[in-house]
Structure formats: C-alpha cells, structure tokens
Amino acid sequence: MSENNFDIESPPCVLCGRTDNCPEKYGEKRTYVEYNLTLHNYCLLMSSGIWQRGEEDEGVDGFLIEDIRKEVNRAARLVCNICRKKGASIGCVAPKCKRSYHFPCGLQKECVFQFMEDFRSYCWEHKPVQIFSDKESREPSQCTICLDLVEHLPLYSVLRSPCCKNTWFHRECLQYQALSAGIFFFRCAVCNNKDKFQKEMLRMGIHIPEKDASWELEDNAYQDLLQCYQHCDIRRCLCKNGRDYNKPDSKWEIKRCQSCGSRGTHLACSSIKSWEQNWECVECRSIFAKGKYSKRKKHSLAPSEKMDGTTCLLEEPSPKLPRQSPGSQRNRLLQSPKIMCQNNLSPCSLLELPTSNRVAMSLSPLMSNRNCSLRKKHLRMQRKEASNILKELKHQINTKTTRLNINTENIWKSALKGFRQRNFRPTNTIEVKFTKCKNRIKTDSFTGSKHLFFQLLMFHIQNSSLFEGSSAKNLSVDPQALKENLYFEAGKMIAVSLVHGGPSPGFFSKVLFDCLVYGPENVKPNLDDVTDAGVAQTIKKIKYSETLSSLQSTVRDCYDFLAAAGCLRPITALRDKDILVNDLLIHHVIKRIISPLESFRQGLKTLGLLEKMEMYPDAFSSLFCHKPENLSAEALCDLFTIHCSPDVNEIGGADFWMGYLQDVESGESVVTLQDILFFVTGCSSIPPIGFDPEPTIKFLPVHYPIGNRLLNCLELPITRTYENFKNKMEFTIRNTLRGERE
C-alpha cells in the first residue's frame, strides 16, 4: 500500500476536519487515495475509541482501515466542547469528565496529550501540572534553548526541568527540540539527564518521536569535515588557472597555514621554495606577534590599512604586477554576477571574477561583527524563503485586470474606494493610474505605478490611527475604524500588496506578529510591548515594588486603573505582584485589541497569506517585523543577469558595470543605487516577491544606456574605457530621472 499518495487539493482530516498541513503541531498529514482517507498522525494516535489491532505494515501504522472508519462514525456523533462542531474524537480520561474535543482545538485550549503508553488526553481543567514551591524565586530567567526570558509562573507555555534546579523552558522550544533530536538525543540542555527529563516531559505533553536526530539523517552531513582547504588567499594570485588550481609537486601546489589550516597560498604566490618551508597566514602571524608584525618593513601592510581604517588580512600584491583598470580595482568588493553568454545562455566562465577579489577585515572587527553578520545572513535566507512562498501565492493572479484610480493627495481614501468597488477581485491583475497628482508623478511602466502605489499605501497604513507605537507597532483601538471595518481593509491591503509585488510592511512588533500567527492565547507580552508611557510607568511601579507594604500602597493608588483593566485582586504576599503584572500586560497588550486583531486577521486571510504566515512564521517575520535591507551594490549585482557575447568579455563590460555600482555605493557618483533601479524597473526598492520578468543586462552597440521597464532590461553601451562607461551612465540616468520629475 502506498502511504504518500497525496491529493493536490489537500483534503481535510477526517477526524478534525482541518486542511492544515503542519507536522510540528498535528503530525504528518497523509492521504490514502485508495481508501479515501486523509489523516493527521496525532489526531489518529490520540483518538479515544481506536487501538492498533494490526501489524505495523497493516492499514495505517497498525490501525486497521475498518477501525478508522468506525472511529470516524463514532466521533461524528460527538460535539467538540471548544469549537461546538461535531467530530470530536478525543475525550478527557479524568473520571466523570465527559469533555470531548478535536486535537487542534485541544492544543488551542491548552489540553495535555501524553504521547506514551495509552496515549491519554487531559482537558484544560484536569491536565497534569508542575508543582512550584512558594520558596522558589519568581524572577524570570533565560530559556536555555532560545535564550529569551521565561517567567517562573504556573503557565501552560512554561516548563521546568525536573533534574536541574531553576532551569526553565518555553514549551514551544522544548517541543521543537524534541522533534529535532528524537528519543535518542532529547535530554536536559543543562545537565544532559535523559531518563528523568524525558519521563517528565512526556507526562507534560511533549511529543518525543521514536527516530534518530534530524542532523544524523542528513546525507553527507559531515562531508565538509573530510575536505581539505584548497584555495589561494594571497591578495593577488599569480596563477593563471585561478585560485582553486592545485598541482602537487609544482610551484602551483597549495600550502595551508600551519597554524589554522583555514588559509592557503600557492608556493609561487608567497615565494616559498619548497613544501617543507613553513608558512603562516597574516591573521595567525598578527596574533602570534602581538602587534609587532606591523613594524617589519619587509612585510608592511601600510597600503591596505588606508582602506577605511581596516587592516587587510590578505597579503599585499607584488609591485611588479601591472595596475588594474579602475573598474576591476573596485569590483573586488563584489561577488561575480550572473553572466550568460549569447551563444547558448550557459554560464560564461570567462567572465567569472576570481573569488580572490575580496577584502577581509582585521581580526578584531571580524570578531565584533560576526554575530551581526550571521543575523543578517539568517534574515536574508528567511526573506528568500518568504519570496518563494509569495511567488507560489502569485499563481492565483489571473490576466483579468482591475484598474485603480489613485489620488496621491488622498491615498487611503482612493485606495479604500478601489478595494471596495464591486468588480474588485484580489486575484485580478491590478493596474494603477494616478490622478490629480500635485507633483505630476510620471510612471511610464505599469509595474512602477503599482509599486509606487503600494509603497505610498504601506506608508499611510503604518502611520494611521490603526496602529500605535514608535518603530515596532501594535494595533490600536479605534472605535470608528472598527465600526467602518477598516482593520479588515488594512489587513486585506497588506496581503494584496505582498502578493502583487508591493513592499514589505516591516513595522509590526513581535507581539503583534505572534498574535497573528500563533493566536493571542499563546503569546506572552512583556513590558516593552506596552506603547502607552503612562500605563508602562504604572506597571513598572507594581513590578519593582520591593516590600509588601509598598506594593499594597501602589495598588491602592492605582485602584481605578486596575478596576478598568479587570485586574483587581487581593494582595497578601509580595509574589502576588508577578501574577498582577502578567494580567495587566495581557490586558493592555492583547485583550484590549482582540476585536481589531480578529478583524485584521480576517483581512490578512486574503489570497491565503495568513495561512502561509502560520505555516512559515520565521520566514514572514523577516517581512513584517524587520525593515527592508538597504539597497547595496552587491544586491543590485545579484539582481541582474548579464547577457553578453564573447567579444564583450575582452573589453570588460561586466567589470565596468560592477565597478560603477561600487562607485555609486561609495558616493563617487551623482546618482544613487535607487536611481539605477528606478531607471530600469520603475521601482526604487526590490519588492519581497522580486521582479517579473527578472531584471537583465545586455551589452549592445548603443550610444547611451536604455532602461526598458516593461522587460526590466538595462541595455548598456560597449565602451573601451571605464571612464567613458561611467560618464554615459551618469549623463543618461541623471537627465532621464530629472526629466521625469520635471
């Protein structure tokens, strides 16, 4: 029997009725076409009226098909105590408790499911809890998995280690670690205890799958450890065959640094006469010499140290080497662009720049900036993943067009009118026409008009009364906006903007984003999430009260404030302040905006965006909670694919292009990188979904550059010198954009 005969339409689970495919929450979702059954693994395992009566290879993992059908029929008569819909196959095992619910509903209501022995389930009232001693510290500590703060409170989202004193975890962090590590490697992150730790986590509802760790299942996961470093890192490599060329027993054999082994050189490039001669890279020599290395005149690094105050790790070139052209000197900061030959559109190896054209930072800046670089790299990967997901959603867009007439003097009003018009469909292709433009905004491309409209619209939404806060914003409470359903419209506009090629919002607070994708009941706000300064100050007074008398006095002074929030409670001990602060935070950050939040969520469901956000929260967090990365020469270089003929190779057209980008980025030009992008595409920034068609560059026998915004194509002239190339670029782009503005 085939287990993985998946339907394209993704039918709902026969037990819970949901179409969600979220293995982390509901287990693997599988469709058995021959039996017309679709099941979430966890829904099947936790169902109360079914047992494994077959062998592992019978039915569905030992559950016989006839038994599954009987269980579906049994559940069809039971109403879920949470969502009030039928099909509740799971019941609480507590004596006399008759509550039934679906597995996803149980998760939402914080029920506990024990993935062991009889696979018992406990409702929200009878679930097992961890006992906390009154003597224990209530001060928050770090979760040892995600390193964020975790409150020492008896909450469903918080778990304490049974083997280590004062070691606390987020439930979500533990569950993800268990799914990744499996039963053989899941253990306490502090003391490595396995048996006691796993027993307690299983009791508290953490699912530990019986599988090997995910890192053990990857193909060639440790292959990199078996490879030797084979690359010449000298500033100017002398080998004509490239930096990765290695010929043993010759002057072009690569020798690695004897100290770190992560830098290399050809014997000839460092004037090493024999293999037996020791060689150390500049990084290691600078460490061992403790700063004395720079005093040696023979190996002076003075020229490279003049570059923005940064010491170059790679050695200086030989003075006998010829000078490079201005364009090629600057492009060492850029990686090789995407270059295609005209003959067969295959990667053109002749134009690939050597990977040696890189400037390395001195050791101290490298160490201090490493974390920042890793975060930026991770953010880029997340944005790339989000871009691919948006491209999938874009497949819904058809060729039928809807025109929006937008008045730039009142973006919101005209956009609202357009989105509410009878013939507006989010799946139609959107055309934008600006009317009554005060500054006569001219956009000769439909893509540019649309992108500009979405850019202005996102700016208005960010600064509207629908949101509050400075940079990271939360939803506000605007009764008039609720009455006019504006929160829904704003969510709908953001969804349409992202799928149709608009900019990313980039202004959501983390707590707002988490409420959208995880549900407000699963979010724990902190003091930084309170946008009202007066409210924040009052909560601080309560939180930082040091004695019981001062706490009681503060509570008396804030009586009206606490009563309005519904947080009045008797204060009999100093530790009561923690629960009080938690209640206040939940009220002011989450409960207060429940109505706007639900309306906003409904709007974000347009074109299926919210569903994808819930499935890929990390990827979409990079678009909603982080501002877009500033446009860089490297980003523009990666954006364009260069089509050229071999004769352009010899002239150095691609070198001139990359050198010009570097000049513009460093301020040695009258135009900006945004001007270049706008000249070609009509957009001043790269949208999260990317461009369609993808931007290209062609070197043609033209006198001046031509920007074709319909095709996103930049036609560049073939010139003999870099100066001539730069002058033509400056003249054309500057005068074209000036003419459009005037």
Side-chain angles (χ1 to χ4, degrees), residues 216-385:
E216 296 287 344
L217 301 175
E218 295 179 15
D219 293 335
N220 300 320
Y222 306 103
Q223 189 65 29
D224 291 344
L225 301 178
L226 306 177
Q227 296 179 357
C228 293
Y229 190 79
Q230 299 288 344
H231 183 80
C232 179
D233 293 293
I234 302 305
R235 180 74 174 272
R236 289 181 184 171
C237 178
L238 304 178
C239 183
K240 294 182 179 179
N241 294 321
R243 293 181 172 268
D244 295 324
Y245 181 72
N246 179 35
K247 184 178 180 181
D249 300 325
S250 73
K251 64 179 181 179
W252 302 121
E253 182 172 5
I254 292 180
K255 183 174 181 64
R256 292 179 294 279
C257 172
Q258 66 172 359
S259 299
C260 68
S262 60
R263 286 287 187 270
T265 176
H266 289 115
L267 298 182
C269 295
S270 293
S271 302
I272 300 176
K273 296 180 180 180
S274 67
W275 175 259
E276 287 78 15
Q277 187 176 344
N278 290 331
W279 178 81
E280 287 178 341
C281 64
V282 180
E283 289 178 274
C284 294
R285 287 207 300 268
S286 63
I287 294 173
F288 294 141
K290 296 181 181 179
K292 297 180 181 179
Y293 176 76
S294 59
K295 298 180 181 179
R296 301 180 186 176
K297 295 182 180 180
K298 185 175 180 180
H299 301 284
S300 174
L301 295 182
S304 63
E305 290 172 355
K306 295 177 183 178
M307 299 174 61
D308 301 328
T310 304
T311 304
C312 182
L313 288 178
L314 306 182
E315 294 189 5
E316 280 295 293
S318 168
K320 295 181 181 180
L321 289 176
R323 290 188 62 187
Q324 294 176 310
S325 65
S328 60
Q329 284 178 352
R330 291 178 177 85
N331 64 31
R332 66 171 60 98
L333 291 179
L334 298 177
Q335 298 291 337
S336 175
K338 297 175 286 185
I339 303 172
M340 307 294 287
C341 291
Q342 263 186 347
N343 299 334
N344 53 11
L345 296 182
S346 62
C348 181
S349 59
L350 293 175
L351 271 176
E352 289 184 358
L353 295 179
T355 54
S356 59
N357 290 345
R358 297 173 293 188
V359 173
M361 308 299 288
S362 63
L363 191 60
S364 296
L366 184 65
M367 295 296 289
S368 62
N369 293 330
R370 182 178 297 169
N371 290 337
C372 182
S373 299
L374 289 175
R375 283 195 297 269
K376 286 183 178 179
K377 183 179 179 181
H378 184 59
L379 205 57
R380 288 194 196 104
M381 292 174 61
Q382 290 178 336
R383 284 175 176 151
K384 186 175 181 180
E385 183 183 3

Side-chain angles (χ1 to χ4, degrees), residues 593-637:
I593 63 162
I594 283 296
S595 295
L597 180 70
E598 184 55 35
S599 181
F600 190 63
R601 289 183 84 254
Q602 294 302 319
L604 283 175
K605 288 182 179 179
T606 305
L607 294 172
L609 180 68
L610 182 61
E611 183 180 357
K612 293 296 184 182
M613 290 169 60
E614 292 172 339
M615 292 174 64
Y616 306 97
D618 291 340
F620 280 94
S621 172
S622 66
L623 302 184
F624 281 82
C625 301
H626 299 273
K627 292 183 178 180
E629 196 173 6
N630 291 332
L631 199 60
S632 64
E634 182 181 2
L636 271 188
C637 183

